[in-house]
Amino acid sequence: MKVGILDSTLREGEQTPGVVFTTEQRVEIAKALSDLGVAMIEAGHPAVSPDIYEGIKRIMKLKREGEITPEILAHSRAVKRDVEVAGELEVDRVAIFYGVSDIHLKAKTKTTREQALNIIAEVVSHAKSHGMKVRFTAEDATRTDLDYLVTVAKTARDAGADRVSLADTVGILYPTKTRELFSFMVKEVPGVEYDIHAHNDLGMAVANALAAVEGGATIIHATVNGLGERVGIVPLQAVAAALKYHFNVQVVRLDKLVEVAGLVEKYSGITMPPNFPITGDYAYVHKAGVHVAGILNDPRTYEFMPPETFGRSRDYVIDKYTGKHALKDRFERLGVKLDDRELEQVLAKIKSSQNTRYFRDVDLLEIAEEVTGKVLKPRPPEKIEAVISVKCGSNVYTTSVTRRLAVIPGVKEVMEISGDYDIVVKVEARDSAELNNVIESIRSVKGVESTLTSLVLKKI
Ligand SMILES: CC(=O)SCCNC(=O)CCNC(=O)[C@H](O)C(C)(C)COP(=O)(O)OP(=O)(O)OC[C@H]1O[C@@H](n2cnc3c(N)ncnc32)[C@H](O)[C@@H]1OP(=O)(O)O
Ligand SMILES: O=C(O)CCC(=O)C(=O)O
Ligand SMILES: [Mg+2]
């Protein structure tokens, strides 16, 4: 099966209310997407604003230097000046869109069907004459008269477009209809390849993307975390996992998805809900006793693919939904041996605290001590984790400090932040003596003025 991802986080994603990427962030996201392995990056619509123009310019420089490998696209209206701006940037491809449904023709461009065909032919030819590869997007394709859609696609193809994007702009498709539409277009208008641009207004964008591929589409438009106008488009992480599971096609590095999702969450300011597919905090956290008993025997009972595939790990929470298998396992992990009767008593206590959202390990040990009347000695944790906030002196170049911190043994992650502190460092150590050494090393880095250490007590 031939299919690749066009990531549009930098174009469609930036159309999410409240989202703006700085030029630096735009470049960093493009690099992360390239490392992830997407086939194409829609880097923005350069005629929109000077910073988007600048960002695409920087991305194209990295492309020429071989640091970014995917095909880079610029979005453009069917307006010659927009196309020329994309041409100045020497992008690999210009993506020219035009709303072709009667609703769009009437309410937006105020053109007849015939006039629209002339504009499409003229602007696509104009882009070709500037040496660019062209994708033509039939915006609102899914509410367009089918015969007219065929004529539109033929017009774009005959003017030089080698790709056509069929956009479900208002997100009304469902999978059967999507498959039919793509099969039909592939048959009626050969000689071009098809993209699916699916909005998620009815929550079916991923399913529609898969159906489009079954119908013959070879590129799926996606955004990291599903960003985009209104409720967004196909989330990259979900569609990549679905393609792997159903078709055994690997479109990106799956183990890097969680990192890129975090980066885009940070820069977009749009928080990923915990129940978000694949990269949400709860994607691999189980709860019901029956489920946990199942996964302890064989994780496939409640996981469609192992968490390690996506660079994640498995966990479960304890509350009134817990059963004896989960509880026994949790105490074993804590290094505490309870007999069946004691476990039952602890479980009864848990069940009678109906409104407790989570029982932490310390809570469980407290209950177990109450039940057994013994002072229990849990196994010490295998590692200590800490978050160290670092303040740099004034006139210190923060990034130079960041680079020095990143190479200290025990330092797992370094982030430059805004606020009272300049840098946050995540640290792992075997014991408190080792942690102390790491802290001392951090404090001795030139430019570090002060530190504040917080121990990690619990992760969910
Ligand atoms: C479904 C999608 O997401 S498609 C992508 C949409 N992308 C964007 O809108 C990018 C952000 N947009 C912008 O920054 C601005 O709208 C600009 C720079 C593109 C245009 O700004 P303005 O010239 O001030 O026009 P404005 O946005 O108010 O209206 C849109 C104009 O573009 C025209 N237009 C809309 N779509 C197209 C198109 N695909 N091709 C040609 N013209 C178009 C409209 O008819 C209208 O023209 P008019 O000025 O003659 O009435
Ligand atoms: O250019 C495209 O493929 C899609 C344009 C768009 O964002 C849409 O129609 O929703
Ligand atoms: Mg869109």
Side-chain angles (χ1 to χ4, degrees):
M1 173 173 283
K2 184 182 163 197
V3 61
I5 296 290
L6 172 145
D7 185 280
S8 187
T9 306
L10 297 175
R11 197 280 296 174
E12 176 79 54
E14 209 185 24
Q15 289 179 222
T16 310
V19 174
V20 283
F21 298 122
T22 65
T23 304
E24 290 303 326
Q25 291 169 349
R26 191 174 290 280
V27 172
E28 198 179 331
I29 291 172
K31 277 200 217 155
L33 292 169
S34 176
D35 293 345
L36 200 62
V38 301
M40 299 181 182
I41 296 174
E42 198 164 67
H45 183 154
V48 165
S49 63
D51 69 300
I52 295 179
Y53 183 94
E54 183 57 28
I56 302 177
K57 194 169 165 188
R58 296 259 309 270
I59 291 169
M60 287 314 297
K61 181 168 180 288
L62 292 173
K63 174 81 198 273
R64 283 191 294 275
E65 291 165 357
E67 276 207 48
I68 287 181
T69 50
E71 181 172 294
I72 306 296
L73 291 90
H75 221 221
S76 166
R77 289 178 301 169
V79 169
K80 285 186 183 168
R81 183 62 202 138
D82 276 24
V83 167
E84 286 156 11
V85 173
E88 280 166 27
L89 290 166
E90 296 179 19
V91 289
D92 300 316
R93 179 185 289 276
V94 62
I96 301 169
F97 66 92
Y98 202 88
V100 289
S101 65
D102 287 338
I103 304 172
H104 278 230
L105 293 176
K106 208 164 170 192
K108 284 169 54 193
T109 44
K110 301 173 179 68
T111 43
T112 63
R113 288 185 180 185
E114 202 50 42
Q115 286 168 330
L117 294 175
N118 290 335
I119 291 168
I120 293 165
E122 203 178 317
V123 181
V124 171
S125 306
H126 189 66
K128 288 305 287 179
S129 70
H130 280 68
M132 276 179 274
K133 285 198 273 185
V134 178
R135 176 188 93 215
F136 175 74
T137 292
E139 190 191 354
D140 206 19
T142 55
R143 291 190 300 176
T144 300
D145 172 75
L146 209 49
D147 288 340
Y148 182 61
L149 186 62
V150 166
T151 312
V152 164
K154 283 183 177 163
T155 304
R157 177 197 63 190
D158 296 347
D162 64 348
R163 299 203 69 89
V164 169
S165 167
L166 300 179
D168 186 22
T169 305
V170 291
I172 39 141
L173 278 184
Y174 60 91
T176 321
K177 229 174 160 175
T178 310
R179 194 181 304 107
E180 272 170 23
L181 173 69
F182 278 83
S183 312
F184 174 79
M185 291 299 288
V186 165
K187 192 161 70 54
E188 289 296 314
V189 192
V192 285
E193 294 204 25
Y194 288 91
D195 293 25
I196 166 82
H197 181 91
H199 273 266
N200 206 24
D201 297 70
L202 295 176
M204 287 189 275
V206 172
N208 289 334
L210 261 58
V213 170
E214 286 184 328
T218 53
I219 283 287
I220 295 172
H221 294 193
T223 55
V224 178
N225 303 342
L227 296 181
E229 287 277 349
R230 306 183 305 281
V231 300
I233 66 165
V234 171
L236 174 60
Q237 44 268 66
V239 81
L243 287 167
K244 179 70 185 162
Y245 184 76
H246 287 292
F247 305 129
N248 197 22
V249 174
Q250 177 125 1
V251 284
V252 291
R253 276 194 63 179
L254 301 175
D255 61 334
K256 287 274 174 198
L257 281 169
V258 67
E259 219 175 272
V260 181
L263 184 78
V264 171
E265 183 177 40
K266 185 170 72 170
Y267 290 162
S268 65
I270 304 289
T271 314
M272 213 186 329
N275 58 351
F276 200 81
I278 311 297
T279 52
D281 285 348
Y282 296 165
Y284 279 97
V285 180
H286 304 273
K287 170 162 158 170
V290 168
H291 290 223
V292 180
I295 62 147
L296 290 173
N297 287 333
D298 183 343
R300 288 176 302 176
T301 47
Y302 290 99
E303 291 170 0
F304 77 105
M305 277 165 88
E308 295 77 22
T309 317
F310 305 106
R312 313 218 54 191
S313 55
R314 163 182 316 119
D315 205 352
Y316 58 85
V317 292
I318 303 274
D319 76 348
K320 67 182 177 190
Y321 272 72
T322 294
K324 62 181 180 305
H325 291 288
L327 203 58
K328 186 163 185 271
D329 179 74
R330 179 53 59 96
F331 277 110
E332 275 170 13
R333 286 206 219 174
L334 288 171
V336 171
K337 184 106 192 73
L338 297 185
D339 62 29
D340 287 352
R341 202 183 51 84
E342 289 166 337
L343 276 172
E344 259 171 44
Q345 285 174 300
V346 174
L347 199 54
K349 288 247 175 215
I350 290 172
K351 300 267 178 198
S352 62
S353 299
Q354 301 95 328
N355 297 327
T356 305
R357 288 176 187 270
Y358 307 98
F359 286 86
R360 300 165 304 161
D361 291 346
V362 281
D363 305 323
L364 294 174
L365 287 166
E366 206 175 291
I367 299 174
E369 288 188 345
E370 202 185 312
V371 162
T372 59
K374 290 183 245 169
V375 176
L376 300 169
K377 277 219 165 66
R379 181 185 297 134
E382 280 161 17
K383 62 179 182 203
I384 308 176
E385 289 179 76
V387 176
I388 303 175
S389 306
V390 175
K391 199 175 274 183
C392 297
S394 52
N395 303 326
V396 169
Y397 177 44
T398 312
T399 303
S400 71
V401 177
T402 305
R403 289 202 188 106
R404 288 191 198 108
L405 295 176
V407 294
I408 294 174
V411 167
K412 296 294 160 203
E413 210 177 329
V414 186
M415 288 166 280
E416 287 180 30
I417 55 165
S418 62
D420 288 347
Y421 285 82
D422 302 301
I423 300 172
V424 166
V425 186
K426 283 197 200 165
V427 167
E428 274 179 25
R430 274 193 303 267
D431 49 37
S432 53
E434 192 176 280
L435 177 63
N436 210 27
N437 287 340
V438 183
I439 296 170
E440 284 308 318
S441 306
I442 290 173
R443 292 171 71 91
S444 65
V445 166
K446 192 164 157 252
V448 170
E449 193 178 82
S450 64
T451 59
L452 175 74
T453 301
S454 312
L455 286 182
V456 175
L457 299 179
K458 186 180 179 206
K459 286 204 222 175
I460 53 167

